[in-house]
Amino acid sequence: MPDDTHDPERRSWVPGADGHADFPIQNLPVGVFAPAGASRRAGIAIGDHVLDLAGLLAGGLLDGDARLAAEAASGETLNGFLALGPSPRRALRARLSALLTRDAAEERRVEPHLHEAGSVTMHMPARVGDYTDFYAGIHHATNVGKQFRPDSPLLPNYKYVPIGYHGRASSVGVSGAAIRRPNGQRKPASETVPSFGPSRNLDYELELGVWIGPGNELGEPIPIGGAARHIAGFCLLNDWSARDIQGWEYQPLGPFLAKSFATTISPWIVTPEALAPFRLAPSARPDGDPEPLPHLLDAADQTAGGLDIELEVLLLTPGLKETNRPAHRLALSSTRHLYWTVAQMVAHHASGGCNLQPGDLLGTGTISAPGPDGFGSLLETTNGGRKPVELPSGETRRFLEDGDEVILRGRARRDGFTPIGFGECRGTILPARPAA
Ligand code: CA
């Protein structure tokens, strides 16, 4: 439930925080940063600044559960912090909100621990033990299914099982890291045998990332009604995808090298507490769809398990840069288009006994809106490359070219509350290594 940390009247003494598109005082996401020449540590985004949590601790500004939470966040990753669960996280949020509010008595003691965001380097917020990618964006699943099965795009399991696959954790990187175009086996329909070389159909996928909190013991499922306490936060996630490699390799076991070369996430973990005002009922299932099986059905989740986050994909090409044009919006979508809630994904994941661990990362799957202005991948936007996108620079794109930069943004807004955002998730394509 929203509390006084969400009060839209609350103002901060930090310059630029009030009215900041992503990080007003009502957000307070946590991440890992390094000041120039210094080691990694936990920080809080506030406006265009990053607040050093270790500095607050050393300065004696945190007590009780807030202190416990900051201590768990000390070190170079936030896995210990993610493991804590909601209560200490909430205490830290309340204390930070008080310290950063205009006219706070501690302002002069807090101020030395602020760094300008432009002067620090953001790092992976946690060590990702396992990464799982779902397929819960129903319009994406339908659009992709249509390319193979025009008459029955969704397979019969889709409305019963939150479909997913185990992704690769080692290649998850943080926004800003360059993406090397992968080499792989490609076999278009026009060729009789595959060849090895650079992917010709490199794509992005617009997804929401989910950070796992405490997790479960091996063999102990997480009941749907208790899933929320295992969700420690959210980020933007780009599941880079090499469609030509994927088309050749994916049967019968699913994606492998087409996905494992890179995944990019935004560096800030937006907490469930910050998103409390932006919960809503999941989108109603169309008439005739089955009710979720009992282990995926929970009254509270059906009332407020959905999320209202606007998601955006932008493309910045070499041609747009050369002609001083801004990044071009390719899609505007929303987490309202998820068929399964995040709690259902967590409960399903653990329902067979698989243990989730603090710092595990889930992707929701590509989140497309119903119409072409909201498609979350080029596979959909260009209809598999057959209908190229035209850009204001005169360039066209079937799929991504070298030098292209993909930018994801996310924003939550609701009448009566201060909008909050996720920051950016960016990645630029580098040419493939020579294919020996
Ligand atoms: Ca995906």
Side-chain angles (χ1 to χ4, degrees), residues 183-408:
N183 288 310
Q185 285 199 21
R186 316 151 303 181
K187 201 202 82 61
S190 56
E191 294 170 16
T192 52
V193 293
S195 59
F196 182 82
S199 170
R200 301 170 178 125
N201 293 354
L202 185 55
D203 201 356
Y204 53 79
E205 290 193 338
L206 171 64
E207 304 196 17
L208 187 71
V210 181
W211 288 102
I212 294 297
N216 55 316
E217 295 296 323
L218 183 63
E220 299 291 330
I222 294 174
I224 177 77
R229 70 175 299 271
H230 298 283
I231 297 164
F234 299 88
C235 61
L236 303 171
L237 186 150
N238 183 345
D239 173 24
W240 302 98
S241 299
R243 302 299 180 192
D244 44 354
I245 298 170
Q246 186 177 0
W248 172 237
E249 76 174 7
Y250 86 102
Q251 290 178 317
L253 288 185
F256 189 37
L257 304 191
K259 303 275 194 174
S260 62
F261 62 95
T263 303
T264 304
I265 59 169
S266 55
W268 294 106
I269 299 179
V270 177
T271 64
E273 291 72 41
L275 287 168
F278 311 104
R279 306 303 298 228
L280 75 183
S283 292
R285 294 188 159 212
D287 284 347
D289 280 14
E291 186 170 77
L293 294 182
H295 71 291
L296 298 177
L297 186 59
D298 174 71
D301 189 47
Q302 291 299 307
T303 305
L307 286 161
D308 195 4
I309 302 167
E310 191 178 273
L311 299 171
E312 189 179 24
V313 186
L314 301 108
L315 178 65
L316 188 56
T317 61
L320 289 167
K321 282 184 202 166
E322 282 159 19
T323 53
N324 294 315
R325 289 183 163 91
H328 180 75
R329 182 195 274 176
L330 289 174
L332 182 64
S333 185
S334 165
T335 52
R336 287 170 176 248
H337 302 303
L338 290 168
Y339 190 78
W340 297 99
T341 67
V342 175
Q344 286 172 321
M345 295 178 214
V346 168
H348 174 64
H349 204 310
S351 64
C354 174
N355 47 330
L356 297 177
Q357 297 182 300
D360 282 1
L361 181 67
L362 310 184
T364 54
T366 309
I367 305 177
S368 292
D373 293 344
F375 290 167
S377 67
L378 285 171
L379 179 69
E380 297 161 271
T381 303
T382 69
N383 192 19
R386 288 177 282 274
K387 194 170 136 287
V389 176
E390 293 181 16
L391 301 172
S393 52
E395 298 164 292
T396 59
R397 288 289 183 275
R398 297 167 56 251
F399 288 98
L400 298 172
E401 298 196 2
D402 295 344
D404 285 356
E405 182 172 26
V406 177
I407 305 160
L408 308 185

Side-chain angles (χ1 to χ4, degrees), residues 27-275:
N27 192 348
L28 305 175
V30 59
V32 170
F33 77 104
S39 60
R40 301 179 191 199
R41 76 273 316 263
I44 301 292
I46 174 76
D48 293 318
H49 288 79
V50 179
L51 178 62
D52 185 340
L53 267 188
L56 293 190
L57 263 182
L61 287 155
L62 302 173
D63 287 312
D65 270 4
R67 181 176 183 87
L68 185 78
E71 284 172 350
S74 62
E76 300 203 334
T77 66
L78 296 176
N79 294 74
F81 173 80
L82 296 172
L84 289 175
S87 183
R89 209 168 56 219
R90 206 174 287 128
L92 179 62
R93 173 181 170 83
R95 179 62 176 156
L96 292 170
S97 179
L99 289 174
L100 292 168
T101 293
R102 190 172 292 178
D103 299 327
E106 300 87 347
E107 175 179 339
R108 289 174 62 190
R109 293 169 63 200
V110 174
E111 200 278 335
H113 305 298
L114 285 176
H115 298 259
E116 285 181 26
S119 73
V120 308
T121 305
M122 296 306 300
H123 291 281
M124 281 291 289
R127 190 186 58 77
V128 179
D130 277 295
Y131 160 51
T132 301
D133 197 20
F134 283 90
Y135 198 50
I138 190 167
H139 303 302
H140 171 76
T142 304
N143 291 338
V144 173
K146 267 183 199 158
Q147 300 195 6
F148 301 99
R149 299 172 301 277
D151 297 331
S152 57
L154 292 180
L155 292 169
N157 57 6
Y158 190 83
K159 293 180 174 178
Y160 289 94
V161 180
I163 301 292
Y165 70 96
H166 290 295
R168 183 74 194 168
S170 65
S171 54
V172 179
V174 81
S175 178
I179 304 302
R180 177 75 65 183
R181 179 182 299 272
N183 288 310
Q185 285 199 21
R186 316 151 303 181
K187 201 202 82 61
S190 56
E191 294 170 16
T192 52
V193 293
S195 59
F196 182 82
S199 170
R200 301 170 178 125
N201 293 354
L202 185 55
D203 201 356
Y204 53 79
E205 290 193 338
L206 171 64
E207 304 196 17
L208 187 71
V210 181
W211 288 102
I212 294 297
N216 55 316
E217 295 296 323
L218 183 63
E220 299 291 330
I222 294 174
I224 177 77
R229 70 175 299 271
H230 298 283
I231 297 164
F234 299 88
C235 61
L236 303 171
L237 186 150
N238 183 345
D239 173 24
W240 302 98
S241 299
R243 302 299 180 192
D244 44 354
I245 298 170
Q246 186 177 0
W248 172 237
E249 76 174 7
Y250 86 102
Q251 290 178 317
L253 288 185
F256 189 37
L257 304 191
K259 303 275 194 174
S260 62
F261 62 95
T263 303
T264 304
I265 59 169
S266 55
W268 294 106
I269 299 179
V270 177
T271 64
E273 291 72 41
L275 287 168

